[in-house]
């Protein structure tokens, strides 16, 4: 009889030739457990998804209650479904007044796709600007916003009329013109290795978009829902985008994404023609119930207020000559080593010691640290002890 691992390799489509092949049977809080009962500390939260931890009681209860009430009823936008209404209303209550209208989808890349259509329809323009080393998703439209040829080779041609700028580089803003429908930007770049834009740049970007009538679209799929020490990363800059993209952490582990704008901008999808954007499962009642429970938990437990201090604890403890730099805000951090081989060896050794991390698509020499926001100070100490132990082992062997 074939094992689960053998069946996985036989019947599940593979995304690499060397999957980790870790087999987990349950997860709770910041931990995942394999079939032998070994416990692993999840220091990346499923890549920024489990912001309040795995299987949080509030999310589990919300999911159970909604499953017993109703699940899919109709394609998005036709029926008044309380989970969608309540979550959208709650989001509006924590966002600026011009971000009061939400379109729920199934994932981050779908949020990007919807926002691309929205920007073209609202502005009547065709061009986009995105940042080099960005990552906005893997569908054809979203991947058109990624400048890197490494991950896109063999899958083109992609959408035309897309220009690229360097993140946090003021002179490139001149590429934004009255032909540009929207600028897509991560205020804190994720897969580039956690690159934080400065205030001067972000204000100049906002001013340039206003001057040219260009929509400013913030991709906060990784940075949203408390990850950076504020509910949304744009709050660090006192700048509000025209469109906000969310996913990953907003569902408490359930699949959901959203693009959010003003009712005025979003209204263009409803006419000339009608059904300007459609989704069957977007805003699934169970996912929306989980999302509302996640947001309520972040607020009620005041979780976001502790994120900066926890991030600083990682920075204070992770001191080693082999660590070149630690970048980021809150619990969205990158630990940079000399090269990929060193980073990969440390990550692999940490996995053996029961700690899960990884690297970044466009920054393979840096280790990702993005645990559930509920991680405790004691758990941070334990995590740093494991990391430093293996930094010592790997770099000593290299020398």
């Amino acid at each position: 009889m074939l094992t689960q691992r053998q069946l996985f390799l036989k019947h599940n489509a593979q995304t690499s030739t060397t999957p980790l092949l870790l087999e987990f049977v349950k997860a709770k809080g910041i931990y995942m457990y394999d079939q032998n009962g070994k416990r692993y500390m999840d220091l990346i939260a499923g890549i920024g998804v489990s912001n309040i931890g795995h299987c949080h009681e509030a999310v589990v209860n919300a999911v159970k209650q909604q499953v017993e009430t109703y699940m899919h009823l109709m394609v998005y936008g036709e029926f008044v479904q309380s989970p969608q209404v309540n979550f959208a209303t709650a989001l509006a209550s924590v966002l600026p007044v011009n971000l009061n209208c939400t379109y729920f989808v199934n994932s981050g890349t779908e949020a990007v796709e919807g926002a691309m259509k929205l920007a073209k329809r609202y502005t009547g323009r065709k061009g986009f600007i995105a940042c080099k080393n960005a990552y906005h998703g893997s569908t054809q439209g979203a991947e058109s916003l990624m400048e890197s040829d490494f991950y896109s080779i063999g899958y083109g041609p992609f959408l035309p009329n897309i220009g690229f700028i360097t993140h946090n580089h003021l002179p490139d803003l001149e590429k934004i013109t009255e032909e540009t429908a929207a600028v897509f930007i991560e205020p804190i770049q994720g897969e580039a290795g956690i690159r934080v834009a400065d205030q001067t740049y972000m204000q100049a970007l906002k001013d340039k978009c206003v001057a040219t009538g260009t929509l400013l679209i913030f991709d906060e799929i990784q940075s949203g829902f408390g990850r950076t020490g504020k509910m949304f990363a744009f709050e660090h800059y006192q700048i509000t985008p025209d469109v906000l993209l969310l996913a990953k952490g907003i569902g408490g582990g359930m699949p959901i994404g959203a693009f959010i704008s003003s009712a005025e901008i979003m209204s263009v999808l409803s006419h000339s023609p009608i059904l300007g954007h459609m989704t069957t499962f977007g805003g699934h009642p169970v996912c929306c119930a989980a999302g509302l429970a996640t947001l309520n938990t972040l607020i009620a437990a005041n979780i976001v207020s502790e994120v900066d201090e926890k991030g600083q604890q990682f920075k204070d403890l992770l001191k080693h000559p082999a660590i070149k730099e630690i970048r980021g805000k809150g619990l969205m951090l990158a630990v940079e080593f000399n090269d990929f081989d060193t980073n990969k060896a440390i990550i692999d050794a940490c996995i053996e010691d029961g700690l899960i991390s990884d690297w970044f698509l466009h920054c393979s020499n840096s280790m990702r640290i993005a645990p559930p926001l509920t991680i405790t100070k004691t758990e941070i100490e334990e995590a740093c002890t494991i990391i430093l132990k293996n930094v010592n082992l790997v770099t000593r062997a290299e020398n």
Side-chain angles (χ1 to χ4, degrees):
M1 187 173 180
L2 295 179
T3 66
Q4 287 289 294
R5 180 177 295 189
Q6 290 168 324
L7 290 168
F8 169 83
L9 292 171
K10 184 179 178 68
H11 296 297
N12 287 73
Q14 302 297 300
T15 58
S16 82
T17 56
T18 56
L20 287 174
L21 292 176
L22 297 167
E23 186 177 339
F24 295 113
V25 296
K26 68 176 181 178
K28 183 70 175 176
I30 72 161
Y31 297 104
M32 301 182 289
Y33 301 83
D34 70 14
Q35 70 274 28
N36 299 315
K38 181 177 178 179
R39 189 180 76 173
Y40 293 77
M41 182 181 291
D42 184 3
L43 216 62
I44 52 176
I47 314 296
V49 170
S50 301
N51 280 15
I52 60 172
H54 295 281
C55 292
H56 192 284
E57 182 180 7
V59 175
V60 171
N61 288 339
V63 167
K64 286 180 177 178
Q65 182 178 345
Q66 188 56 47
V67 164
E68 293 174 350
T69 305
Y70 62 79
M71 289 184 277
H72 178 72
L73 299 180
M74 182 59 165
V75 297
Y76 185 70
E78 292 298 317
F79 293 167
V80 178
Q81 301 183 54
S82 290
Q84 295 174 358
V85 173
N86 293 340
F87 191 23
T89 301
L91 286 169
S93 74
V94 296
L95 285 166
V97 292
N98 70 307
L99 296 174
N100 59 13
C101 189
T102 297
Y103 195 118
F104 290 117
V105 289
N106 301 288
S107 65
T109 192
E110 289 185 41
V112 173
E113 295 281 356
M116 292 177 81
K117 290 177 64 178
L118 178 67
K120 285 183 175 180
R121 178 69 174 82
Y122 182 75
T123 65
R125 304 174 184 179
K126 297 180 174 63
F128 293 115
I129 294 289
C131 287
K132 298 175 182 178
N133 292 327
Y135 179 77
H136 297 290
S138 287
T139 51
Q140 286 277 294
E143 196 160 338
S144 297
L145 299 173
M146 185 165 67
E147 179 257 356
S148 171
D149 289 334
F150 180 82
Y151 291 100
S152 58
I153 189 169
Y155 296 104
F158 293 99
L159 293 180
N161 304 313
I162 295 178
F164 294 96
I165 59 177
T166 298
H167 192 262
N168 213 30
H169 183 59
L170 280 167
D172 275 4
L173 298 183
E174 292 305 313
K175 295 182 181 180
I176 303 168
T177 71
E178 293 180 356
E179 301 297 317
T180 309
V183 174
F184 282 78
I185 189 169
E186 303 159 277
I188 300 175
Q189 280 195 306
E191 296 309 312
I194 315 300
R195 309 291 175 172
V196 181
D198 61 46
Q199 180 67 48
T200 301
Y201 174 80
M202 293 298 280
Q203 187 60 60
L205 171 62
K206 176 68 174 181
D207 292 345
K208 185 67 172 179
C209 286
V210 170
T212 58
T214 300
L215 293 184
L216 179 57
I217 300 179
F218 277 5
D219 180 340
E220 292 223 32
I221 290 164
Q222 281 197 49
S223 63
F225 260 48
R227 173 60 52 192
T228 67
K230 292 188 180 292
M231 188 65 77
F232 305 100
F234 69 75
E235 296 177 79
H236 291 288
Y237 301 99
Q238 298 84 49
I239 290 170
T240 304
D242 299 297
V243 183
L244 177 67
L245 311 181
L246 300 174
K248 289 188 179 290
I250 73 171
M254 294 294 286
I256 186 170
F259 57 103
I260 305 172
S261 189
S262 66
E264 176 208 346
I265 292 175
M266 202 70 81
S267 70
V268 300
L269 298 177
S270 66
H271 61 88
S272 306
I274 63 169
L275 305 175
H277 194 65
M278 292 178 279
T279 174
T280 296
F281 292 113
H284 192 280
V286 179
C287 299
C288 284
L292 180 59
T294 301
L295 180 58
N296 286 342
T297 298
L298 284 171
I299 295 170
N302 204 22
I303 291 170
V304 181
S305 68
E306 301 176 347
V307 170
D308 272 337
E309 184 178 354
K310 291 175 180 179
Q312 189 60 49
Q313 186 180 0
F314 273 107
K315 292 177 180 178
D316 291 342
L317 293 177
L318 290 176
K319 303 289 188 183
H320 192 281
I323 295 175
K324 298 177 65 178
E325 182 183 16
I326 301 179
R327 296 182 298 275
K329 280 187 179 292
L331 289 171
M332 188 176 179
L333 301 172
V335 181
E336 183 174 327
F337 298 101
N338 189 55
D339 52 44
F340 169 73
D341 290 339
T342 299
N343 188 35
K344 179 66 163 59
I346 293 167
I347 289 169
D348 289 346
C350 286
I351 291 174
E352 288 296 316
D353 279 348
L355 183 148
I356 304 293
S357 184
D358 73 339
W359 61 92
F360 300 89
L361 290 180
H362 303 310
C363 189
S364 63
N365 69 334
S366 296
M367 172 189 286
R368 188 193 308 266
I369 294 181
L373 309 183
T374 52
I375 192 171
T376 66
K377 294 179 180 179
T378 299
E379 289 164 339
I380 292 172
E381 290 178 5
E382 180 185 351
C384 291
T385 298
I386 293 171
I387 293 170
L388 289 173
K389 168 198 167 184
N390 289 298
V391 171
N392 274 322
L393 288 173
V394 169
T395 55
R396 187 182 304 141
E398 289 178 345
N399 296 329

